[in-house]
Amino acid sequence: MTNSRDRSPTRTTGGGGGGGGGTTTAMRVIVPLQGVVQGRGGLFLGSVIPCALFYFWQLYLKRNRSSSSSSSSNSGDNNNDESNASERTHLPEVSSGSGLHRVHSRILLSPKGGTGQCQVSARANAIVSKQIDGSPYYVGLKRASEDGYDELSNPDGVIQLGLAENKLSLDLVHEWLEENVSRWMMTTQDSHISRIATYQPFGGLLELKVAVAGFMSQAVEGSVSFSPSQMVLTGGATPALEILSFCLADPGNAFLVPSPYYPDLDRDVKWRTGVEIIPVPCRSADNFNLSIDALDRAFNQAKKRGLKVRGIIISNPSNPVGNMFSRETLYNLLDFATEKNIHVISNEILAGSTYGSEEFVSIAEIIDSEDFDRNRVHIVYSLSTDLSLPGYGVGVINSCNENVLAAVKKLTRFSSVSTLTQHLLIQMLSDAKFVQQFIKKNRERLRRMSSLFVSGLKQLGIECTKGSGGFYCWADMSRLIRSYNEKGEIELWDNLLNVAKVNAIPGSSCHCVEPGWFRLCFTTLSEKDISTVMQRIQKVLEVRKSLS
């Protein structure tokens, strides 16, 4: 078809009488018809009908050419020479012939319904069809975003306790940026501009990896050292988790995840990889700590369902509970992973945001101290949380597995950190005094806010689990729900959002098996906001009591 289209203009313009273009056009319509008719009516019909159509086509073109020539002769100047007259008759012939060929061939040969809407992929439709927008987690976030509380401009707005974001130490970051960014930009030489404005390694600059490794070691209080050569930088912790899931599991495989776990993990791990998550229930009687027996039961149940388990994903400190994995639990976890020959992904994005009496133990410290297979252990870290920079989007994958690192480095081309951001963070993390003060003051502020917030809830008769890390508390509101099930929990969530105008995350959104638990983030508040929150929750308590 392509060659035929390329030859058509040559034949049309080459003929002096203009018949070649019409013949070629006619044959373009007739030949496909001949194939259609011949396939159904046999050789006779396949020859006679196309020939008859060809004859009528030629007659039609001849009449059109005659009327066109006569019109051109009458309107032209009689004194023009013969060549000019021939040129006038020929030029409209080319235009008419070309236009006729395009229009008729498309009308006769285009499939019906060709003007319908273009379809997206089945994968995109599957994501669009997921009914996440109606879940309490996303409904609450949207309400707080559209009608957010502000003491002066919107005092009746929704108070955001559903977003795990640390605003307590933003002033420290702001001060550093104010003092250093202008000077850094002014002293940047032309030779350095090329390093900022041109392509750089997708997996991150070596200087930033070195700086991040030092910051991570300080975050875990020097208990372990991290090697820059085993690091790959990504555009946040979410891409880091997705990339690792892609590298460690195939579509239809599964990861075991202790529950409750934070609501976005389903989206982060499952949506594009096709990997499944199998929740491993943890209970309040054990302060929601992971039980190896529960892990083993979940593994065996997955096996019975025909699911191949490729790994375990843990959050340390836990999100949403705020507790931390003990040294003994981590040893048992690695023994279990070795026995089942599966991977372990340890999400340690809040390692520098611990503040309680519990000891934080990185899984990197465990594999350094014992003869475990390091190739099955992978750590996710993020500056977005521990450095209060979620808008910068800087995640870290730390792994000893060379095959995983090789794949991750190639996949980060789809989720790399901007070069300008990397150079800015190199300067920030190289400021040893700032880093030390930030970690210290941030922990002090987290400890104080946690104490004030949990005490305020306790005065209302609401108890929380003992948490030592993160930006939230895990509150037991089960005595406030009318029916001890998910329906009763959602009813309480609705009262909190619409009566008290407080956005909290219900435990069912975190796959908690016990109804009545809520995650409340206190790092989005100021200290004076705490009393406002407690007053609003008190309204719900009074409403619930009056109805009971």
Side-chain angles (χ1 to χ4, degrees):
M1 182 65 74
T2 303
N3 292 337
S4 176
R5 287 193 179 190
D6 290 342
R7 288 194 299 268
S8 177
T10 305
R11 291 184 180 181
T12 305
T13 56
T23 302
T24 303
T25 304
M27 291 304 295
R28 287 185 175 283
V29 178
I30 300 304
V31 171
L33 286 174
Q34 184 177 3
V36 173
V37 176
Q38 190 171 357
R40 297 189 177 186
L43 182 60
F44 177 75
L45 291 177
S47 301
V48 174
I49 293 178
C51 289
L53 289 172
F54 178 74
Y55 170 77
F56 287 115
W57 184 269
Q58 289 291 87
L59 183 63
Y60 169 79
L61 291 178
K62 183 177 180 181
R63 289 180 177 178
N64 280 359
R65 282 198 301 271
S66 299
S67 60
S68 175
S69 297
S70 120
S71 174
S72 298
S73 299
N74 292 335
S75 60
D77 186 356
N78 293 331
N79 295 327
N80 287 341
D81 59 19
E82 184 178 349
S83 62
N84 288 338
S86 173
E87 186 177 8
R88 281 197 307 274
T89 3
H90 173 63
L91 289 176
E93 175 74 17
V94 176
S95 176
S96 175
S98 176
L100 189 62
H101 155 62
R102 284 181 172 274
V103 172
H104 279 264
S105 64
R106 292 193 181 195
I107 291 175
L108 293 173
L109 301 181
S110 295
K112 293 182 178 180
T115 58
Q117 183 179 5
C118 291
Q119 300 298 314
V120 299
S121 69
R123 292 170 299 181
N125 278 325
I127 291 175
V128 171
S129 65
K130 293 181 186 296
Q131 301 298 320
I132 65 165
D133 293 340
S135 72
Y137 175 65
Y138 294 104
V139 169
L141 289 179
K142 185 178 180 181
R143 281 284 304 278
S145 173
E146 295 174 347
D147 183 29
Y149 167 82
D150 184 271
E151 183 182 9
L152 299 177
S153 61
N154 192 19
D156 295 324
V158 177
I159 298 178
Q160 177 64 282
L161 302 182
L163 191 62
E165 187 176 55
N166 183 11
K167 295 184 177 181
L168 301 179
S169 301
L170 282 179
D171 60 312
L172 303 178
V173 176
H174 179 266
E175 288 174 7
W176 187 91
L177 292 173
E178 196 173 48
E179 293 174 6
N180 294 274
V181 170
S182 297
R183 183 170 66 252
W184 172 61
M185 294 297 293
M186 291 296 292
T187 56
T188 300
Q189 304 296 324
D190 291 341
S191 59
H192 295 156
I193 291 296
S194 61
R195 296 174 58 196
I196 296 175
T198 57
Y199 286 118
Q200 300 296 328
F202 291 115
L205 299 171
L206 179 59
E207 300 97 315
L208 182 55
K209 292 180 184 180
V210 171
V212 170
F215 183 81
M216 289 174 65
S217 295
Q218 291 187 62
V220 298
E221 299 181 338
S223 60
V224 64
S225 297
F226 296 91
S227 172
S229 64
Q230 296 170 348
M231 285 184 181
V232 179
L233 304 183
T234 65
T238 294
L241 283 166
E242 186 192 53
I243 290 172
L244 275 177
S245 302
F246 181 92
C247 292
L248 303 181
D250 294 312
N253 294 165
F255 285 102
L256 303 178
V257 181
S259 67
Y261 58 82
Y262 67 95
D264 275 334
L265 186 64
D266 288 301
R267 181 171 61 176
D268 297 349
V269 170
K270 295 166 60 175
W271 274 18
R272 294 201 298 184
T273 64
V275 175
E276 295 297 321
I277 285 181
I278 300 174
V280 181
C282 302
R283 303 193 178 268
S284 58
D286 301 319
N287 199 41
F288 293 98
N289 288 311
L290 175 64
S291 163
I292 300 301
D293 289 338
L295 204 60
D296 191 52
R297 283 194 298 270
F299 184 90
N300 292 330
Q301 288 171 3
K303 192 174 181 180
K304 289 179 181 178
R305 291 167 52 193
L307 290 173
K308 186 173 184 179
V309 176
R310 298 304 302 269
I312 307 166
I313 301 176
I314 64 171
S315 292
N316 189 21
S318 167
N319 181 359
V321 180
N323 56 5
M324 294 188 281
F325 283 76
S326 67
R327 192 177 297 270
E328 181 182 1
T329 301
L330 290 174
Y331 276 117
N332 293 335
L333 183 66
L334 287 172
D335 285 336
F336 179 84
T338 302
E339 177 189 343
K340 304 299 184 183
N341 192 27
I342 57 179
H343 294 270
V344 176
I345 299 176
S346 183
N347 183 352
E348 301 182 3
I349 64 174
L350 294 165
S353 299
T354 57
Y355 48 83
S357 57
E358 288 184 82
E359 175 193 25
F360 174 79
V361 182
S362 172
I363 201 168
E365 182 180 348
I366 304 299
I367 62 175
D368 280 349
S369 62
E370 295 287 337
D371 188 24
F372 288 108
D373 181 7
R374 300 185 178 194
N375 287 325
R376 72 174 74 254
V377 178
H378 320 278
I379 297 173
V380 172
Y381 186 68
S382 173
L383 295 177
S384 303
T385 47
D386 273 350
L387 203 55
S388 298
L389 294 172
Y392 279 50
V394 181
V396 181
I397 295 175
N398 183 269
S399 177
C400 298
N401 191 312
E402 293 298 330
N403 289 332
V404 170
L405 287 175
V408 166
K409 287 176 182 177
K410 293 180 179 181
L411 289 171
T412 50
R413 104 179 254 113
F414 306 111
S415 179
S416 57
V417 185
S418 76
T419 307
L420 184 61
T421 297
Q422 293 189 65
H423 279 282
L424 179 61
L425 290 174
I426 290 171
Q427 300 298 316
M428 181 181 288
L429 297 180
S430 299
D431 189 337
K433 182 179 178 181
F434 165 77
V435 170
Q436 292 174 0
Q437 289 183 347
F438 180 88
I439 293 175
K440 180 183 177 182
K441 290 185 178 181
N442 187 52
R443 281 195 167 124
E444 291 173 351
R445 295 177 181 184
L446 285 169
R447 185 181 298 112
R448 177 171 173 79
M449 281 296 291
S450 172
S451 176
L452 292 172
F453 195 83
V454 171
S455 296
L457 291 174
K458 192 171 184 177
Q459 290 176 10
L460 298 177
I462 300 172
E463 297 290 338
C464 299
T465 58
K466 183 181 179 182
S468 296
F471 307 148
Y472 32 75
C473 65
W474 188 235
D476 181 10
M477 298 187 183
S478 58
R479 71 178 186 86
L480 302 178
I481 62 178
R482 296 182 186 179
S483 53
Y484 190 71
N485 51 35
E486 184 178 340
K487 182 179 179 181
E489 179 183 276
I490 297 303
E491 184 183 11
L492 176 57
W493 164 80
D494 185 78
N495 286 164
L496 288 169
L497 183 62
N498 294 303
V499 176
K501 288 201 170 181
V502 170
N503 178 38
I505 305 301
S508 55
S509 293
C510 303
H511 298 270
C512 183
V513 294
E514 299 180 21
W517 290 86
F518 285 78
R519 190 188 77 172
L520 308 174
C521 299
F522 52 77
T523 53
T524 57
L525 306 173
S526 64
E527 288 188 16
K528 62 182 178 180
D529 291 333
I530 294 179
S531 60
T532 304
V533 172
M534 300 308 156
Q535 290 169 11
R536 293 190 177 193
I537 295 178
Q538 179 66 39
K539 289 182 181 179
V540 174
L541 297 179
E542 293 171 355
V543 171
R544 307 294 285 188
K545 287 180 181 178
S546 65
L547 295 176
S548 60

